[in-house]
Amino acid sequence: MVFKKLMQAAGIGGPEVETILHNPSTTPGGTITGEVTILGGKHDSDILGVNLALKTRVEVESGDSEYSSNLEYAKLPIAGAFKLDDGARYSVPFQFQVPWEAPLTHFYGRPLHGTTVGLSTELEVARAVDATDLDPIAVHPLPAQERILLAFANLGFQFRNADCEKGRIWGVHQELPFYQEIEFYPPSQYARVIKQLEVTFVSYPQSMEVVLELDKRGGVYTEGHDAFSRFTVDYATVEHTNWEQELDGFLQQAGRRRGLF
């Protein structure tokens, strides 16, 4: 009995957790469904709870330095406390709604390099080491996001990278404590004055905010600086707009306002 307790405290022979997703692909505001199975170990266990959490990696600025950190941005308890006998099997089906502001990981089926999202299953075990499982999730763009990204591609912008920044955008309502930046190299007609373009989506159920950040090239005697533009896209009318023309207008206007063009 003493030996079993020592094994339990060290996490040896304890319960295991496995998560099966019905479909690992989703969209902002979508739902992930699946089943969590807990397998009893070599001794009885007191389970305190089972939780699901969405996690991503974010860049954090602190003073003059910057570092990366794993951030949990949504959590769902799916089971409370129960006793798990040794060798027993316990399954819990689940539905997990993805936040509207969730970062994208894919565009046209291809990964957006720099951003990953994982669904973590956390099994809390009394007087023992907790068991966890992590499954990658593919977050594809909403139709409105896809249309905007396609318009930039049609204008000649080339995808560079995508990452998440901890913090908030001034003047934009956010539920999550971070935002995603999708970075593009500019085409030749903009390359003389813009080093790169960063696009941020902050999505809601009926519409989304699009924030553009233009990283200006520095000259021989001047330092580069950023210029911003922001506009709202209504999902119901997104297909009725020539977004290539609109985006070119936004870029030209933002650039002239700050002396870039």
Side-chain angles (χ1 to χ4, degrees), residues 159-230:
F159 173 73
R160 176 178 181 268
N161 190 51
D163 63 9
C164 296
E165 302 280 341
K166 189 174 183 181
R168 297 188 177 275
I169 302 170
W170 185 85
V172 176
H173 174 74
Q174 290 174 247
E175 296 290 338
L176 301 182
F178 70 96
Y179 54 91
Q180 183 182 37
E181 291 181 333
I182 302 174
E183 302 174 4
F184 293 91
Y185 291 116
S188 57
Q189 63 264 36
Y190 302 104
R192 184 175 59 85
V193 290
I194 299 176
K195 184 167 61 177
Q196 69 180 26
L197 170 72
E198 296 175 349
V199 181
T200 294
F201 299 116
V202 182
S203 302
Y204 315 114
Q206 305 299 326
S207 64
M208 67 181 181
E209 294 294 308
V210 182
V211 181
L212 309 181
E213 181 177 347
L214 288 67
D215 187 359
K216 181 183 182 298
R217 286 189 180 276
V220 178
Y221 302 106
T222 61
E223 293 184 0
H225 63 269
D226 298 332
F228 297 87
S229 182
R230 189 184 112 202

Side-chain angles (χ1 to χ4, degrees), residues 228-239:
F228 297 87
S229 182
R230 189 184 112 202
F231 56 94
T232 302
V233 177
D234 189 304
Y235 300 153
T237 60
V238 66
E239 292 299 333

Side-chain angles (χ1 to χ4, degrees), residues 32-218:
I32 301 170
T33 63
E35 186 173 78
V36 174
T37 299
I38 302 107
L39 301 174
K42 297 181 178 180
H43 46 72
D44 296 347
S45 301
D46 291 321
I47 308 300
L48 302 179
V50 185
N51 303 300
L52 297 175
L54 284 172
K55 297 183 177 182
T56 192
R57 196 151 188 84
V58 300
E59 301 295 324
V60 184
E61 290 188 7
S62 179
D64 295 330
S65 63
E66 185 174 299
Y67 63 92
S68 296
S69 176
N70 289 322
L71 179 68
E72 178 183 292
Y73 64 89
K75 192 165 188 173
L76 176 69
I78 61 171
F82 63 95
K83 190 174 185 64
L84 183 68
D85 295 335
D86 61 291
R89 185 184 184 93
Y90 184 84
S91 296
V92 187
F94 68 84
Q95 290 187 336
F96 194 160
Q97 183 171 0
V98 178
W100 283 97
E101 296 173 32
L104 306 179
T105 65
H106 287 70
F107 176 51
Y108 274 132
R110 297 167 56 185
L112 287 176
H113 177 73
T115 301
T116 58
V117 170
L119 179 69
S120 173
T121 306
E122 303 163 354
L123 178 67
E124 300 179 50
V125 186
R127 301 178 303 279
V129 177
D130 293 346
T132 61
D133 189 19
L134 185 65
D135 296 275
I137 299 295
V139 184
H140 297 268
L142 296 165
Q145 294 172 326
E146 190 172 88
R147 180 65 185 93
I148 297 299
L149 292 173
L150 179 60
F152 277 117
N154 289 340
L155 286 173
F157 285 87
Q158 295 184 352
F159 173 73
R160 176 178 181 268
N161 190 51
D163 63 9
C164 296
E165 302 280 341
K166 189 174 183 181
R168 297 188 177 275
I169 302 170
W170 185 85
V172 176
H173 174 74
Q174 290 174 247
E175 296 290 338
L176 301 182
F178 70 96
Y179 54 91
Q180 183 182 37
E181 291 181 333
I182 302 174
E183 302 174 4
F184 293 91
Y185 291 116
S188 57
Q189 63 264 36
Y190 302 104
R192 184 175 59 85
V193 290
I194 299 176
K195 184 167 61 177
Q196 69 180 26
L197 170 72
E198 296 175 349
V199 181
T200 294
F201 299 116
V202 182
S203 302
Y204 315 114
Q206 305 299 326
S207 64
M208 67 181 181
E209 294 294 308
V210 182
V211 181
L212 309 181
E213 181 177 347
L214 288 67
D215 187 359
K216 181 183 182 298
R217 286 189 180 276

